[in-house]
Amino acid sequence: MPSLGRLHLITDTRPGRDPLAVLRAALPVARAELVVQVRVTDDATDREAYDLARRAVALCAPYGAMCLVNDRLHVALAVGAAGGHVGADDLPVAAARRVLGPTAVLGATARAPGPAAEAVAGGASYLGVGPCHATDTKAGLPDPIGPEGVRAVAGAVAVPVIAIGGVTAAAVPALRAAGAYGVAVVGALSAAADPARATAELLGALTC
Ligand SMILES: Cc1ncc(COP(=O)(O)OP(=O)(O)O)c(N)n1
Ligand SMILES: Cc1ncsc1CCOP(=O)(O)O
Ligand SMILES: [Mg+2]
């Protein structure tokens, strides 16, 4: 697998958000340390997902940043993304691996050591672990697992653990101390008044 960036920017396509503007602000700051995950709302069409993913791949390329596509693996393949991310409502990890092929980057969601180990056995190259903290970005999430939940998963697997859910720069040190390799954020960048500055703050917390 190519080296995985530590700061995962998940696109926010809710009304009033401008995911490509956030991406343009973050890329020159984080460069190859940024992983962009194209995530669209469930009601978005495949064509909308494709158009956003195609633009994201093109924006990432000059910076050596990796672009992944959430859920819709056919879109990942269609735009030449580096891989995809799947969770409980998506293709099973082993099936996703078959779709993407052996060299693609494949993320899987896990919040406990057992399922985490199963996801790795199925072919996951990294795990998205959470929600770590409370968030209103996604509805219907289970209770936050906190840094201790991250520690339990990180201790059970040998792939990078990416902490997700309510992550801010202030939360990063505890997550890193618990074994997180990196973090994934939506609101911390999408809702930031200055996304470039917010990117620098997250990156500083991740790499110090
Ligand atoms: C890095 C990362 N971790 C977890 C998720 C959540 O994926 P999933 O559980 O499939 O939920 P949706 O994002 O599809 O709503 C993620 N996307 N990225
Ligand atoms: C998609 C997803 N899965 C678990 S938490 C989450 C949303 C994370 O968004 P935020 O960084 O704004 O809390
Ligand atoms: Mg999913």
Side-chain angles (χ1 to χ4, degrees):
M1 185 182 83
S3 165
L4 188 70
R6 292 183 190 271
L7 178 56
H8 294 223
L9 187 176
I10 301 182
T11 59
D12 191 346
T13 61
R14 291 173 294 178
R17 309 296 170 128
D18 188 346
L20 292 177
V22 175
L23 190 44
R24 285 192 194 96
L27 273 166
V29 179
R31 304 183 69 90
E33 206 56 80
L34 195 71
V35 175
V36 174
Q37 184 192 130
V38 175
R39 178 175 183 268
V40 296
T41 51
D42 288 343
D43 62 351
T45 65
D46 275 350
R47 181 65 68 92
E48 288 166 337
Y50 173 79
D51 285 342
L52 179 60
R54 194 170 47 82
R55 289 187 171 94
V57 166
L59 287 171
C60 286
Y63 296 97
M66 180 182 284
C67 186
L68 307 175
V69 176
N70 185 50
D71 297 350
R72 307 190 195 203
L73 303 184
H74 55 307
V75 173
L77 291 172
V79 300
H85 186 100
V86 294
D89 293 338
D90 310 313
L91 283 182
V93 176
R97 173 55 73 196
R98 285 195 293 278
V99 169
L100 291 177
T103 60
V105 175
L106 175 58
T109 305
R111 53 185 271 113
E118 282 172 27
V120 174
S125 356
Y126 75 87
L127 297 177
V129 175
C132 297
H133 298 291
T135 179
D136 58 11
T137 300
K138 177 173 173 168
L141 286 168
D143 287 342
I145 60 173
E148 287 317 308
V150 172
R151 188 183 303 282
V153 172
V157 296
V159 300
V161 162
I162 305 298
I164 186 171
V167 174
T168 59
V172 168
L175 295 169
R176 290 271 290 151
Y181 171 85
V183 298
V185 299
V186 180
L189 290 178
S190 166
D194 183 345
R197 183 175 173 169
T199 300
E201 287 171 358
L202 282 161
L203 208 55
L206 281 166
T207 53
C208 69

